[in-house]
Amino acid sequence: MAPNPGPEDKVDTPATDIPESLVTTLRSTQKLTVLTGSGISAESGVPTFRDAQTGLWARYDPMELATPEAFERDPRLVWEWYAWRRKLAGKAAPNRGHEALAELERRVPDFVLLTQNVDGLHHRAGSQNVVELHGNITRSICSVEGVLVEPREDDAIVPPSCPGCGAFLRPDVVWFGEALPAGEIEDAFDAARECDVFFSIGTSGLVQPAASLAFEALRRGAVVVEVNPNDTPLTRHAGYALRGKAGDVLPGLMRAAYD
Ligand code: NAD
């Protein structure tokens, strides 16, 4: 995967491939909610959990590292995997999909961006109203007290320990099997219920409770738009399924609606 394709590698979805009825809907929408998943960051070089991992980590299954049980079994391994992912995310730049969503926020009066991503790329692209449902990889917390802790630069022991109680630090992310932060999930369901248009972008729709958000929006009568190169459980229910990469489809959509 090329982290930041040059202009010659970019395949834009022509603005003309965006249905005219969607363009009309988008131009008049007052309340728009977007849910993103790891697919939107794939074009920035941050692998999804379902992509093959690379290098040293190729033989590990991310689904089995992103769990409390894995951390209990081998805290060092899990910390080091996250240190690698943190480095990847730090080196990555937001792509044209992230940028299009930051631009969309400036066009729509009431805009909420819900993300399952932990890489911080939406903020770096300029998005403002972002709800991070699964935390943020750049932060660390005490694994016992849950408080935010800044790991010391010179920490030689991995994982570093909490200066308060001595327990291991862990990344401030939600692992498989853990509950989402209550405030964030409440905000997310409110935003799904109240919007008139809901976008589901780059998410397989297999990780709950985020996967229910698009269905909640559908039940409330919102127009649901999916952006994904592949089918998901949402595809046949969505009002529009735009096939392709977020970094191609979203700029095409912005051109069709606002140029
Ligand atoms: P997922 O791995 O289950 O699904 C990724 C989806 O993105 C797939 O449906 C795939 O078809 C689609 N996709 C791939 N490339 C795409 C592209 N260029 N444009 C649009 N779509 C594309 O990811 P998920 O649904 O986000 O759930 C997995 C969990 O993994 C989440 O909880 C998330 O927190 C975590 N995660 C986060 C990151 C990150 O922060 N970047 C990376 C990996 C995993």
Side-chain angles (χ1 to χ4, degrees), residues 37-39 43 49-50 85 116 118-119 134 202-204 228 230 246:
S38 60
E43 291 162 81
F49 279 1
R50 282 158 236 276
R85 294 190 67 86
Q116 300 168 85
V118 295
D119 55 31
H134 291 169
T203 175
S204 61
N228 200 310
N230 300 304

